[in-house]
């Protein structure tokens, strides 16, 4: 029953994603709309494949749950998350500098610099929270 439900959800989401992509291209909407359609279709297909591939052990535990709590995978995810945060910070700094160079509005510059400041302040708080609770 679950596999049929997952298949139906996948088909609906993939169809919606592809329709959004085509509509965005035909109506000449910003590329973000078409990209959203592709992303929606890709995510739905990926989730279906992941659920289809997920098997259970002899004790009835799902392998995905075991892998999610495996210490090696937790460490790999933490390290990759730190790398992604550094890359995002670099892109925000570049965008903020470009906003000054291109003389964007004060509102746009304020938003970019505020985002950078929020990331700088929030990251240590979140990291400390996970250190305490994990």
């Amino acid at each position: 029953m679950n596999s049929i439900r997952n298949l139906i959800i996948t088909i609906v989401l993939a169809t919606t994603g592809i329709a959004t992509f085509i509509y965005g291209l035909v109506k000449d909407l910003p590329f973000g709309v078409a990209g959203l359609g592709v992303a929606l279709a890709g995510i739905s297909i990926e989730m279906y494949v992941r659920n289809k591939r997920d098997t259970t052990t002899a004790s009835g535990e799902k392998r995905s749950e075991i892998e999610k709590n495996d210490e090696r995978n937790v460490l790999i995810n933490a390290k990759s998350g730190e790398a992604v945060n550094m890359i995002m910070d670099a892109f925000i700094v570049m965008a903020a500098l470009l906003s000054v160079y291109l003389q964007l509005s004060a509102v746009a510059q304020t938003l970019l610099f505020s985002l950078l400041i929020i990331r700088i302040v929030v990251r240590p708080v979140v990291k400390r929270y996970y250190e305490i609770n994990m």
Side-chain angles (χ1 to χ4, degrees), residues 17-90:
I18 292 169
T20 304
F21 173 74
I22 293 170
Y23 182 77
L25 290 179
V26 169
K27 292 293 185 177
D28 200 28
L29 296 175
F31 189 69
V33 174
L36 178 67
V38 170
L40 184 61
I43 288 170
S44 66
I45 293 169
E46 187 266 339
M47 290 299 292
Y48 177 75
V49 169
R50 183 185 300 165
N51 286 335
K52 188 78 170 167
R53 199 180 57 176
D54 196 15
T55 57
T56 56
T57 62
S59 62
E61 294 178 286
K62 284 191 168 189
R63 291 200 189 279
S64 62
E65 290 297 318
I66 294 171
E67 290 176 8
K68 184 170 45 172
N69 297 321
D70 183 19
E71 290 177 15
R72 293 171 297 187
N73 290 339
V74 170
L75 181 64
I76 290 169
N77 289 337
K79 292 221 179 264
S80 66
E82 288 177 17
V84 167
N85 278 330
M86 285 186 218
I87 292 169
M88 288 303 297
D89 286 344

Side-chain angles (χ1 to χ4, degrees), residues 82-129:
E82 288 177 17
V84 167
N85 278 330
M86 285 186 218
I87 292 169
M88 288 303 297
D89 286 344
F91 280 123
I92 291 172
V93 167
M94 287 190 299
L97 294 175
L98 277 174
S99 72
V100 172
Y101 177 73
L102 297 174
Q103 299 176 351
L104 294 180
S105 69
V107 173
Q109 291 178 10
T110 304
L111 287 173
L112 285 170
F113 284 111
S114 299
L115 180 61
L116 184 60
I117 290 170
I118 289 170
R119 285 185 60 90
I120 290 170
V121 170
V122 168
R123 183 186 302 146
V125 172
V126 171
K127 189 173 183 178
R128 182 75 178 142
Y129 170 79

